[in-house]
Amino acid sequence: MSEKVIRLMNDKPLARWSVLILVALMMFFAYMFVDVMSPLKSLVEASLGWDSAVFGKYAASEYIVNVCGFLIIAGVILDKLGVRFSGVLSASMMVVGAAVKFIGISDWFSTTELYRWLGSWWPEMPANAKMASLGFMIFGCGCEMEGTNVSKILAKWFKGKEMALAMGLEMAVARVGVFAVMWIAPVISNACGGSILAPLGFCGALLCIGLVNFIIFGFLDRKFDSQLVQAGLATEEKSPEDEFHISDLGAIFKSKMFWIVALLCVLYYSAIFPFQRYAPNFLEETLKVDATTAARLFSCFPLLAIGLTPLLGIFLDRKGKGATMLMVGSLIMIACHLSFAFLLPILPYKWFAVTLIVILGVSFALVPAALWPSVPKIIDEKILGSAFCLIFWVQNIGL
């Protein structure tokens, strides 16, 4: 007798690419919220009474709780409770964090007792900056957890298919968020009379849409899991061998390849993300242009990365050469930062700045496109979520 063949959902291009769209849009919205205040730095300093040191502490607050161990807990949650629960949880944390940050910067907050109490200690850090940082901490926990969750989702839905391409496209879509917010935030702010809250509220509303996306994804993923059970590729109750145990974390720490990937990740991203926070203001001061122009110049940063990342994913799926891509991308990044530091002050021209920014974007395409698809190849699937989270943990320490 012939057995009935069950066609899984991820065998259907429409289903798996729909999943990619749902989860990638959330990261698009998250990247917008991360950098929504970067093109407004001068306005933030003038309106809220922050200086560059306060702005830097606020920016660093995104990573504090993650560094203190939350990402390790997030990895355990992801591997124990699955991508559906983790996805909704992390998206909800982003929405809550965005709301707290919005409240902290609002005029209403300055009339509360909490504002006065926050202002009574550590006077170098204004009360509104402390509240905004608290919101950014909560958001940062959700954002980093969601980033690892999305990677595991794509590894699950694109296993044996276009995994590198899917991860490349997800990264490209997320980086469109950086480009978009550099243009949109100043426009919304100017349209609302120099408001900081308006662009912040707009990006917060987008995060709510992202939360709805993950709820929809949950229904699709539940159906996919039931198909895996019917096809005999999974069981409703995991066997002791397939069940995640805390002791499994030791296998990750013992992997030399894990540490190579993690250290490359922390060194590379520590040279990219902090620079990204200050880059618009750096261009504003170096090129002697206004804040809006500086933000639009830096918005060119992800342009080539957006186009190249999916193509590099296709190349990686078919040809490999991941190690070569990592080395070339790292060398490009070093050359660009040296040029920003020593050549741009000597040649303060817009065309030269844009050239360096776009070339840096090429580096930002090469390295992540090769880095993230390599993790599912070296780590067992049952501890994949923890592996991604541990890499992000090491990265957050550097950031």
Side-chain angles (χ1 to χ4, degrees):
M1 293 178 65
S2 60
E3 295 183 2
K4 182 180 178 180
V5 177
I6 298 176
R7 191 183 183 200
L8 300 175
M9 286 183 69
N10 72 332
D11 289 329
K12 302 174 183 178
L14 178 61
R16 63 177 182 269
W17 291 108
S18 295
V19 166
L20 172 64
I21 292 170
L22 287 172
V23 300
L25 279 176
M26 184 51 169
M27 298 314 298
F28 169 81
F29 300 146
Y31 272 47
M32 285 188 68
F33 191 85
V34 166
D35 282 310
V36 66
M37 289 176 66
S38 295
L40 306 174
K41 182 173 180 290
S42 298
L43 179 62
V44 168
E45 292 177 352
S47 300
L48 302 180
W50 300 8
D51 56 22
S52 286
V54 171
F55 191 85
K57 292 182 178 69
Y58 146 79
S61 67
E62 181 188 0
Y63 313 110
I64 290 174
V65 180
N66 290 322
V67 168
C68 292
F70 174 78
L71 272 174
I72 299 175
I73 298 171
V76 174
I77 292 172
L78 177 53
D79 285 326
K80 291 285 285 186
L81 301 178
V83 293
R84 293 192 295 273
F85 178 85
S86 298
V88 174
L89 173 63
S90 50
S92 299
M93 291 176 69
M94 282 193 271
V95 171
V96 171
V100 172
K101 181 176 169 181
F102 184 90
I103 291 169
I105 294 175
S106 68
D107 292 335
W108 170 83
F109 179 65
S110 63
T111 66
T112 64
E113 287 297 325
L114 179 58
Y115 179 88
R116 284 185 278 276
W117 177 75
L118 289 174
S120 66
W121 49 274
W122 193 14
E124 294 82 8
M125 191 76 169
N128 53 14
K130 291 170 187 167
M131 190 68 171
S133 296
L134 173 62
F136 212 22
M137 284 182 201
I138 299 170
F139 168 85
C141 291
C143 185
E144 296 296 294
M145 184 179 183
E146 197 72 278
T148 60
N149 191 54
V150 166
S151 296
K152 187 166 183 178
I153 288 169
L154 298 181
K156 175 182 179 180
W157 278 78
F158 286 84
K159 184 177 181 180
K161 305 184 190 304
E162 317 92 335
M163 188 189 299
L165 172 59
M167 289 186 173
L169 284 170
E170 183 272 322
M171 286 184 281
V173 170
R175 284 169 194 153
V176 176
V178 179
F179 171 79
V181 82
M182 292 295 169
W183 284 77
I184 292 173
V187 170
I188 295 176
S189 177
N190 293 334
C192 297
S195 169
I196 300 170
L197 283 179
L200 197 63
F202 174 77
C203 292
L206 293 179
L207 290 176
C208 294
I209 296 174
L211 173 58
V212 174
N213 283 359
F214 261 89
I215 294 172
I216 295 171
F217 160 75
F219 290 105
L220 295 175
D221 193 67
R222 182 174 285 107
K223 183 177 180 181
F224 181 39
D225 278 350
S226 67
Q227 287 185 337
L228 291 174
V229 172
Q230 292 175 26
L233 299 175
T235 58
E236 293 185 6
E237 296 293 333
K238 291 184 178 180
S239 66
E241 293 78 14
D242 294 330
E243 182 70 35
F244 172 83
H245 303 283
I246 299 297
S247 58
D248 290 328
L249 295 177
I252 300 175
F253 286 115
K254 291 176 183 177
S255 170
K256 293 180 181 178
M257 287 299 297
F258 164 80
W259 282 110
I260 291 172
V261 171
L263 290 175
L264 173 60
C265 183
V266 67
L267 292 172
Y268 183 80
Y269 282 100
S270 294
I272 291 290
F273 286 154
F275 174 74
Q276 194 168 299
R277 295 284 196 283
Y278 285 92
N281 188 244
F282 168 72
L283 295 174
E284 182 182 349
E285 298 293 331
T286 305
L287 302 180
K288 308 302 179 186
V289 296
D290 59 82
T292 300
T293 301
R296 290 178 177 176
L297 288 174
F298 187 70
S299 72
C300 298
F301 167 60
L303 285 182
L304 268 182
I306 291 166
L308 279 178
T309 304
L311 297 177
L312 292 170
I314 295 172
F315 179 82
L316 194 63
D317 279 326
R318 296 181 178 179
K319 303 290 185 180
K321 305 292 184 182
T324 302
M325 290 166 57
L326 291 172
M327 288 188 288
V328 172
S330 299
L331 290 172
I332 290 174
M333 184 267 292
I334 293 169
C336 283
H337 276 311
L338 289 173
S339 298
F340 277 119
F342 300 110
L343 293 182
L344 190 60
I346 300 172
L347 301 170
Y349 303 114
K350 292 180 183 178
W351 65 265
F352 184 53
V354 171
T355 300
L356 292 177
I357 291 166
V358 171
I359 294 173
L360 185 63
V362 174
S363 169
F364 201 38
L366 283 165
V367 174
L371 183 68
W372 297 115
S374 66
V375 180
K377 297 176 182 177
I378 62 175
I379 299 294
D380 189 270
E381 186 174 354
K382 72 174 181 177
I383 54 174
L384 186 58
S386 294
F388 277 124
C389 283
L390 286 171
I391 291 172
F392 274 54
W393 177 58
V394 175
Q395 173 187 313
N396 274 238
I397 292 172
L399 292 171

